[in-house]
Amino acid sequence: MKIIDQNYINGEFKKIDSSKSLTLKNPTTEEEIAQIYLSMPSEMDEAIHCAATTFESFSKTSIQERMEILQHIHDELIKHEERLIDLAVLEFGATITTTRRRTKNAINLFLAIKEELKSYDFIKKDDYSITIKEGVGVIGVIIPWNANLAHLCSNIAPAIALGCTLVIKPSEFNALETQAFLECLHRANVPKGVVNVVHGTGESVGEILTKHPLVNAISFIGSTKTGKKIFENCSKTIKRMTLELGGKSPTILLEDANLAKVIPHVLSSAYSNSGQACHAGSRLLVPKAKLNEVKRLLLETIQKLTIGDPKNEETKIGPMINQTQFNTVQAYIKSGIEEGAQLLCGGLGRVQEFEKGYFVKPTVFICHDQTLKIVQEEIFGPVLCVLPYESEQEALSMANDTLFGLSAYVFSSDETKAYEFAKQIRSGRVLINTAASKAKNPPFGGMKQSGLGRMGGRYSMDAFCEIKSILF
């Protein structure tokens, strides 16, 4: 069993000064795979002071120097890409096909940001003023367990590009992948103190990050509940914030949608990352007259999905990350049954084929009540709620009847019609006739209680900027 007992502070791996630890299990087999030690508040304070001191010099580096750093990180990560993939599958249980694609995209972010740097408008002049964009300073980053490497890269790349320094609290459940990533970072000779990583819980060290006066900005990805607490903490020192929070994303099948063609896309979205995705299309809105056909197609398609070992190339749905998440999803399924939703397939208990592993049955509910808990709250598991509508105006109202606004999906045989519908959805991102766009680094973030700000390519750089005006 691997022992993770070091933070990464000031370019060095430093032993964690605590006896508190957490044992991680392989979610597929429930075998113990790692023990991670949890840091003390003083260790977070040390990392923050280090980042603040380093910012004074790193912020003065040239664009060319920072471009070279981004290239070096990319090159080192590429050398160890397969190891990063294997560790993510081992400790999180994400399917290898999803992990392989996500890992490659994450690594390539360093090249994408490097390219953005070539034309980024740090200085803009007119007759009587000069507008300057400069790095915000020390950025505190708190990331979840459902896309660890992607979140590490999407924060580190733009921060380095702008001459910022970082203190990162990764999820304790991704300790193995995080350690492998840090070893790559170390070999890439990133200047000491630019990237600092402190292991621990949100309560012990994460909260310090959000309150510390030397931290200038917070980037948080996680639940809306935690995001609200972070918002409150940051208000004490008026920190800049980028919050990418929860979702309860609608998928709308318009009247003219080709159901046989789109249902596989619907389930690909709903069960993305085994349902452990903030952007999952977990509410399916269908024309009432076509409900029976949708039900038939959903059952036929789900029966063809391979559930099981995430190392298998054919697997579409893997396990929940741990027992706690398994129990959470079970509680939601139980709630749906008790509140009277019609259970089309799936339900309570582990997938029958497996004696071990946190495998939730892919579940579909037919819901005629928008107020049900399973319709309104983010479940973070393979649970899809199907809601029939009478008219497309009602579908739009239902789609927007949520506290969230992170993602949405619209399917129609008429792309222009889908576009006009999509414009009316209150969501930070709307995909048309696909569950996975090929767009290169579009802005990502939420409306309403799904967050603040946007990340992705140039938008990530804007999120980590301050703007100064010099007037004549």
Side-chain angles (χ1 to χ4, degrees), residues 193-424:
V194 171
V195 180
N196 305 276
V197 175
V198 179
H199 295 291
T201 64
E203 293 80 3
S204 63
V205 295
E207 192 160 357
I208 292 172
L209 197 57
T210 63
K211 292 180 176 179
H212 204 290
L214 291 180
V215 175
N216 305 103
I218 288 290
S219 175
F220 170 73
I221 306 99
S223 72
T224 296
K225 180 180 178 181
T226 304
K228 290 178 179 179
K229 178 63 175 175
I230 288 173
F231 189 101
E232 181 182 339
N233 289 347
C234 289
S235 70
K236 304 296 193 300
T237 50
I238 317 295
K239 297 188 194 306
R240 304 296 178 261
M241 282 180 288
T242 303
L243 305 177
E244 193 262 275
L245 307 178
K248 192 68 179 178
S249 303
T251 298
I252 304 97
L253 306 187
L254 297 183
E255 292 281 354
D256 62 349
N258 183 332
L259 298 183
K261 183 178 179 180
V262 306
I263 288 299
H265 293 283
V266 167
L267 290 173
S268 177
S269 170
Y271 296 158
S272 172
N273 229 21
S274 306
Q276 299 171 116
C278 54
H279 57 78
S282 54
R283 292 187 295 143
L284 176 61
L285 280 55
V286 304
K288 189 174 183 178
K290 297 185 177 182
L291 179 59
N292 287 335
E293 185 181 0
V294 168
K295 289 161 65 174
R296 176 181 62 80
L297 289 168
L298 285 171
L299 287 172
E300 288 179 0
T301 308
I302 288 173
Q303 288 172 0
K304 298 174 184 177
L305 296 179
T306 302
I307 306 164
D309 186 353
K311 296 192 299 295
N312 182 347
E313 296 280 352
E314 301 302 316
T315 297
K316 299 299 182 185
I317 301 177
M320 301 296 93
I321 188 172
N322 54 34
Q323 184 71 56
T324 298
Q325 189 60 26
F326 178 88
N327 292 343
T328 296
V329 178
Q330 294 298 302
Y332 273 110
I333 294 173
K334 185 173 184 289
S335 169
I337 294 170
E338 291 176 346
E339 287 189 305
Q342 177 193 345
L343 183 64
L344 182 67
C345 64
L348 292 168
R350 193 198 310 266
V351 176
Q352 293 179 354
E353 292 91 326
F354 304 101
E355 294 182 1
K356 295 286 187 179
Y358 309 119
F359 292 97
V360 171
K361 300 173 185 176
T363 297
V364 177
F365 282 105
I366 310 301
C367 305
H368 297 275
D369 183 353
Q370 277 272 96
T371 67
L372 296 181
K373 184 177 180 180
I374 57 170
V375 176
Q376 290 295 324
E377 297 184 13
E378 185 176 46
I379 297 173
F380 234 59
V383 180
L384 174 65
C385 297
V386 180
L387 298 113
Y389 65 82
E390 295 279 3
S391 67
E392 289 185 0
Q393 186 57 46
E394 183 186 23
L396 179 62
S397 177
M398 293 168 67
N400 287 331
D401 183 20
T402 173
L403 295 174
F404 302 105
L406 188 62
S407 286
Y409 306 82
V410 180
F411 290 90
S412 170
S413 297
D414 184 340
E415 192 171 284
T416 301
K417 179 182 178 181
Y419 172 71
E420 292 301 322
F421 191 94
K423 288 195 298 182
Q424 301 175 78

Side-chain angles (χ1 to χ4, degrees), residues 8 69 72-73 76 183-192:
Y8 190 69
I69 294 170
H72 291 159
I73 296 173
E76 194 62 40
E183 290 168 1
C184 291
L185 206 69
H186 190 71
R187 286 190 293 266
N189 293 317
V190 176
K192 292 183 177 183

